[in-house]
Amino acid sequence: MRSVRARAALGATVVVALALGVAGLAVLLVLRANLTDQAGLQAEVAAREVAGQLALDVPYDELETGDEEEHPVQVTDEDGRVVAVSEDLEAISGTGTDRVTPQRLPAPSAAGGDEDDDRDDEDDDPGRGEVSTDEPGFGNGTATVDGDRADYRFASVEVTDSAGRTLTVHAGAPLAAEQRAVNSVRAAMLAGLPVVLLVVAAVTWLVTRRALRPVEGIRREMAAITASEDLGRRVPEPDSRDEVARLARTTNETLTALEASVDRQRRFVADASHELRSPIASLRTQLEVAAAHPGLLDLPGAVADTVRLQALAADLLLLARLDAGEGPGRTRLDLGALIRQEVSQRTGDRVPVTVSVPESGGLEVTGSRGQLARVAGNLLDNAQRHADRSVGVAVRREHGGVAVAVTDDGPGVPEAERERVFARFVRLDDARTRDEGGAGLGLAIARDVATRHHGRLTVTDAPEGGARFELWLPGAD
């Protein structure tokens, strides 16, 4: 079952069926209990009426038991002997004994005759028995009256006659009404359950279909975008504020990010092609001139163009690896020592570089030595390109990490351009940086590497009036 609507409808139907089944069973149990209690109350009333007659010493064969079919009666003594039954009672069960033939016992009045002769003449009141006020016992059983067998609820009431004998009156009330009511309710539930489940399944199907209609619209639009490769299209966003609307918004945000990534990649390829075109064209021109006139070969220029091509290719390769998700590595290294080594290897700088690294240590970070060395080199190249007379590098501990500040006394970076300088192929002074070999990738690479090392790279004004590029990396654990 691959349809969400079908699964939702089936799930809702099963849940409702279980709920209705449990609820119906509870209703039947409560109904049966209430009707059984009512029958027990009727049986108790009938038993107490007979017990009242026995307490007044009414002879057993003169007891009025009422309607025998409605309230069959059986009276037993403390020895379990049957002393009286209702008329036409042929069989009984559920009262403790199934005998329905009364045994001949002395009448209550005869048992107390000798004592009456010795009483004082002034005492004319006859003796009376007593009906027990305790809670009667209840039980279910059957009785056959005049050939008709039925189920009954029996109540057992104890009574003491005037002779001191303890008798138990068992009176029943029919359970036929209770059984008919329970059967009727059960039949109604069983008949109505399929209808209710069918309605639930249909409503769930329609509601789910309505709720998933925007999802189908999103799917169709995504299929169209995939087929057309037009990332400028967007999926429809419903007016609701539910999960489907959030899905549509997230999908459009993903498409926006994907479109921006593709555009950035296209610009990157176009800019890279443009940057590679100039040194390649220059190098080709020199080689063609050298082929025609060997004496006119500008060997230093050809070497410079080749070095520029090599540096540009290395930058492009590093950016490609970063874009592919290359990790920063987990090498533990001293950033102060790395800065000293990088500065010491720069023998051809036109402006001297001053280095300030504390001797106390504690400048360790975790990352890729090669990538961090590239960051330091790019920041120093940028400072050398724009400095007038001085470049400074300072390393210090800061906020649980290590900060490296590279400053120069050049023209600085305008505040409006301080984020733009970290974009790829961006040069604030195209003519000068192109002549000096800058392609606008150094600061972009430095920012990417810093971000992948969970650090940051920012630019502010230097105290000398130029630019201050500050790299911060978290300290090693």
Side-chain angles (χ1 to χ4, degrees):
M1 188 174 295
R2 300 180 179 179
S3 172
V4 175
R5 286 179 293 174
R7 291 199 298 268
L10 178 61
T13 303
V14 171
V15 171
V16 172
L18 293 176
L20 290 179
V22 173
L25 180 61
V27 168
L28 290 176
L29 293 176
V30 171
L31 177 62
R32 174 173 292 177
N34 289 338
L35 293 177
T36 301
D37 290 342
Q38 292 180 10
L41 180 60
Q42 295 175 7
E44 180 183 357
V45 171
R48 289 192 180 278
E49 288 180 355
V50 176
Q53 298 178 50
L54 292 173
L56 296 175
D57 292 335
V58 175
Y60 300 140
D61 55 357
E62 297 180 7
L63 292 174
E64 294 183 2
T65 58
D67 190 347
E68 289 80 3
E69 293 186 1
E70 288 293 329
H71 302 294
V73 176
Q74 180 193 61
V75 183
T76 60
D77 63 5
E78 58 264 17
D79 296 327
R81 294 174 295 184
V82 177
V83 299
V85 296
S86 58
E87 189 177 357
D88 297 330
L89 180 62
E90 300 174 358
I92 194 170
S93 65
T95 60
T97 178
D98 57 359
R99 292 191 295 271
V100 294
T101 302
Q103 299 185 20
R104 297 295 180 179
L105 297 177
S109 57
D114 294 338
E115 296 179 1
D116 290 341
D117 293 340
D118 297 334
R119 287 178 183 171
D120 190 77
D121 294 338
E122 295 180 359
D123 189 5
D124 296 330
D125 293 334
R128 292 191 178 186
E130 182 179 0
V131 179
S132 174
T133 58
D134 294 339
E135 185 72 19
F138 293 98
N140 293 337
T142 62
T144 304
V145 179
D146 197 17
D148 295 330
R149 186 175 183 274
D151 295 327
Y152 288 87
R153 179 72 169 173
F154 288 101
S156 301
V157 177
E158 291 187 350
V159 58
T160 304
D161 61 14
S162 60
R165 288 179 296 190
T166 301
L167 304 174
T168 303
V169 180
H170 305 282
L175 294 175
E178 175 262 343
Q179 294 172 349
R180 286 194 301 269
V182 171
N183 291 336
S184 298
V185 173
R186 184 190 298 116
M189 288 182 176
L190 293 177
L193 182 61
V195 177
V196 173
L197 295 181
L198 182 61
V199 172
V200 169
V203 171
T204 305
W205 177 275
L206 294 176
V207 171
T208 308
R209 179 181 180 182
R210 180 183 181 89
L212 294 180
R213 187 176 300 161
V215 177
E216 179 61 22
I218 294 174
R219 187 202 64 80
R220 286 197 301 267
E221 187 63 25
M222 287 297 294
I225 292 173
T226 303
S228 65
E229 298 183 358
D230 182 7
L231 297 178
R233 300 174 62 172
R234 297 294 180 266
V235 300
E237 295 186 14
D239 296 332
S240 60
R241 298 181 179 180
D242 55 9
E243 292 82 354
V244 177
R246 291 196 292 271
L247 172 64
R249 286 193 292 271
T250 303
T251 302
N252 284 334
E253 292 171 359
T254 302
L255 289 172
T256 301
L258 183 60
E259 182 183 19
S261 176
V262 171
D263 289 342
R264 186 168 57 252
Q265 190 72 21
R266 289 172 179 170
R267 288 195 303 270
F268 176 77
V269 173
D271 292 338
S273 300
H274 178 73
E275 293 296 332
L276 289 170
R277 185 183 304 160
S278 296
I280 290 176
S282 176
L283 184 60
R284 177 181 177 180
T285 301
Q286 295 180 58
L287 293 176
E288 289 177 347
V289 170
H293 307 282
L296 299 179
L297 174 63
D298 183 9
L299 187 59
V303 171
D305 287 337
T306 304
V307 171
R308 182 181 175 188
L309 277 174
Q310 183 181 15
L312 183 56
D315 287 345
L316 293 176
L317 180 60
L318 177 57
L319 283 175
R321 292 204 307 267
L322 293 176
D323 289 341
E326 180 179 294
R330 300 296 300 172
T331 303
R332 191 183 183 99
L333 54 95
D334 189 324
L335 195 57
L338 178 66
I339 294 298
R340 286 197 187 97
Q341 180 180 5
E342 187 66 24
V343 172
S344 65
Q345 294 175 352
R346 301 177 65 87
T347 57
D349 288 343
R350 67 179 184 87
V351 176
V353 179
T354 59
V355 181
S356 174
V357 179
E359 298 295 336
S360 58
L363 303 177
E364 292 184 337
V365 297
T366 302
S368 169
R369 184 179 187 87
Q371 292 183 10
L372 293 179
R374 174 65 69 88
V375 172
N378 288 354
L379 293 179
L380 289 171
D381 288 342
N382 181 75
Q384 287 287 334
R385 190 174 296 118
H386 297 94
D388 289 334
R389 291 182 300 275
S390 66
V391 173
V393 182
V395 185
R396 68 184 186 280
R397 294 284 302 177
E398 183 179 277
H399 304 307
V402 182
V404 178
V406 179
T407 59
D408 63 72
D409 60 350
V413 180
E415 187 172 357
E417 303 287 344
R418 288 179 181 175
E419 280 300 316
R420 183 170 171 265
V421 294
F422 294 108
R424 298 176 181 181
F425 298 105
V426 170
R427 291 162 299 193
L428 300 186
D429 186 353
D430 281 346
R432 187 162 66 94
T433 54
R434 184 182 299 275
D435 292 341
E436 295 179 358
L441 293 177
L443 295 180
I445 292 174
R447 169 67 72 86
D448 283 352
V449 172
T451 301
R452 294 181 187 277
H453 281 74
H454 308 290
R456 59 179 179 270
L457 177 62
T458 58
V459 58
T460 57
D461 291 331
E464 298 82 0
R468 173 189 174 93
F469 287 85
E470 182 167 295
L471 169 69
W472 181 89
L473 297 174
D477 298 333

